[in-house]
Amino acid sequence: NAKQQGRNTYCLFTESMSNTLQRRLMLEESMQGALERGEFEVYYQPQLDLQARKVVGAEALLRWHSETLGPISPAEFIPLAEQTGFIIDLGKFVLNSAASTLQQIHTQFNTSLRLAVNLSPRQFNDPELLSHVEHLIAHCALQPGTLELEITEGLLLSGDSTIKATLTTLQKMGVLISMDDFGTGYSSLNYLRQYPFDVLKIDQSFIADMHAGNESAYLVKNIITMAHGLGLKVIAEGIEDHEQLNRLVEFNCNIGQGYLIGQPMPEAAFQDWLEHNFTRPENIMNKSLSIQ
Ligand code: C2E
Ligand code: MG
Ligand code: MG
Ligand code: MG
């Protein structure tokens, strides 16, 4: 009957709520220890210069392989870490890993690649961020233009007047600033006007939806033209097939990233990948760039 049904619905509702809450508490509780136990690992996803047709860098993406809970997606644990403040420790771990990887690559291949690290709002507003980055640049002898920091609109929403000063200080240190997930927020265009970005990353949802002559293709093409007019480099993320890749090359997109080019991979695998594709660029070209 209705009364019983109502009660059942109610029970299911609270049960699923408490499941969510339980999982959340469980993750929060195990995070700190997880960092100490070495369960977090930075993966690297290659980025390709689409015009010069060579590897230019990678994005650092954090992974958590929990001993007890299995692999946990950053989409789940990053927002939690952001809420609890643990993102500060996690973020330092990612920055340190990326800086040491940059240094190793520089030594091994005698050339500089660029590594991009995602910064959440809380990390960005951490008063120690600037001194930490400065320390890493000196300690790991990072060349100007080799460390890139990705921020999203979420940070800029606050309208905090110190943001611009922090961005400018980072740029003076030789750090590149990129706007991640461009096109998904409310006022991306306004932010391009207000803040000194070097790089614009077109959100993968536009790339995924880019078929011949549709709205997304039109938008991508014109975002690229606009960004170039503003003196920005453009990275397209989420490239999964040759049709998307060829279209982006045609639109003069600078850099591409996506499963077609390479998955995010552990540091050792990334070094092997570089060994194959960086020193012998024809390998990746044959695999991915089927233009002409
Ligand atoms: P994001 O910065 O926009 O990173 C791009 C996401 O797209 C990554 O998801 C990447 O694995 C995924 N991706 C790359 N190529 C493709 C493709 O061809 N197709 C599809 N469908 N997806 C692709 P991931 O690694 O799960 O990270 C999700 C988000 O978590 C990131 O989005 C970023 O916002 C955040 N995140 C990851 N690592 C960190 C970190 O170290 N610090 C902070 N603050 N956030 C991070
Ligand atoms: Mg990113
Ligand atoms: Mg993105
Ligand atoms: Mg994203």
Side-chain angles (χ1 to χ4, degrees), residues 59 150 180-181 201 203 237:
E59 178 175 5
E150 300 187 2
D180 201 358
D181 304 340
K201 291 191 83 171
D203 190 69
E237 59 181 16

Side-chain angles (χ1 to χ4, degrees), residues 30-285:
S30 54
M31 251 186 231
Q32 173 86 47
L35 187 57
E36 283 151 14
R37 287 190 299 274
E39 292 180 2
F40 286 100
E41 189 179 2
V42 178
Y43 275 39
Y44 297 92
Q45 183 176 35
Q47 296 177 334
L48 200 67
D49 184 317
L50 297 179
Q51 307 300 326
R53 306 184 185 196
K54 59 173 207 219
V55 184
V56 285
E59 178 175 5
L61 292 160
L62 192 55
R63 295 291 177 263
W64 181 8
H65 309 278
S66 165
E67 268 163 38
T68 48
L69 305 162
I72 298 154
S73 161
E76 188 176 12
F77 71 77
I78 294 283
L80 273 186
E82 176 73 4
Q83 282 165 34
T84 62
F86 187 59
I87 193 73
I88 302 288
D89 287 344
L90 268 185
K92 278 185 182 149
F93 168 73
V94 179
L95 273 171
N96 295 347
S97 308
S100 104
T101 302
L102 263 177
Q103 192 179 20
Q104 273 182 44
I105 290 171
H106 190 74
T107 314
Q108 192 180 338
F109 296 96
N110 194 29
T111 181
S112 294
L113 282 188
R114 225 189 53 249
L115 288 186
V117 173
N118 292 283
L119 277 195
S120 72
R122 200 139 171 180
Q123 287 172 270
F124 189 87
N125 291 318
D126 174 16
E128 286 175 25
L129 174 73
L130 289 176
S131 58
H132 187 64
V133 170
E134 196 171 26
H135 164 78
L136 284 179
I137 289 173
H139 188 256
C140 301
L142 304 185
Q143 305 298 303
T146 58
L147 179 65
E148 178 178 324
L149 296 178
E150 300 187 2
I151 61 170
T152 56
E153 246 187 65
L155 167 70
L156 306 173
L157 274 174
S158 71
D160 191 326
S161 61
T162 60
I163 294 174
K164 194 171 173 178
T166 305
L167 291 175
T168 310
T169 306
L170 286 166
Q171 285 172 323
K172 283 190 183 134
M173 295 179 191
V175 174
L176 299 172
I177 305 294
S178 84
M179 185 182 220
D180 201 358
D181 304 340
F182 183 82
T184 55
Y186 297 104
S187 29
S188 313
L189 288 180
N190 201 28
Y191 292 136
L192 286 188
R193 209 159 52 130
Q194 288 177 38
Y195 298 99
F197 290 101
D198 302 289
V199 179
L200 184 157
K201 291 191 83 171
I202 303 177
D203 190 69
Q204 56 188 51
S205 59
F206 289 93
I207 310 303
D209 187 47
M210 201 174 54
H211 316 292
N214 77 349
E215 288 83 357
S216 290
Y218 181 83
L219 284 169
V220 167
K221 182 181 178 185
N222 287 286
I223 288 171
I224 294 168
T225 307
M226 174 201 67
H228 287 165
L230 294 171
L232 307 176
K233 292 268 188 281
V234 181
I235 302 181
E237 59 181 16
I239 304 174
E240 293 184 355
D241 62 46
H242 286 96
E243 194 194 330
Q244 294 162 344
L245 183 83
N246 291 337
R247 190 151 291 133
L248 288 162
V249 171
E250 185 192 309
F251 292 165
N252 281 318
C253 185
N254 303 96
I255 295 167
Q257 177 185 347
Y259 297 160
L260 179 71
I261 295 160
Q263 299 265 343
M265 48 195 125
E267 189 190 328
F270 177 57
Q271 303 254 14
D272 288 348
W273 189 93
L274 281 178
E275 187 83 47
H276 277 90
N277 298 292
F278 188 50
T279 47
R280 278 159 288 166
E282 65 280 4
N283 290 351
I284 185 163
M285 295 316 142

Side-chain angles (χ1 to χ4, degrees), residues 17-34:
M17 280 227 317
S18 86
N19 281 345
T20 312
L21 195 65
Q22 265 174 32
R23 166 127 180 129
R24 200 196 137 109
L25 288 173
M26 208 153 60
L27 293 183
E28 277 181 20
E29 223 171 66
S30 54
M31 251 186 231
Q32 173 86 47

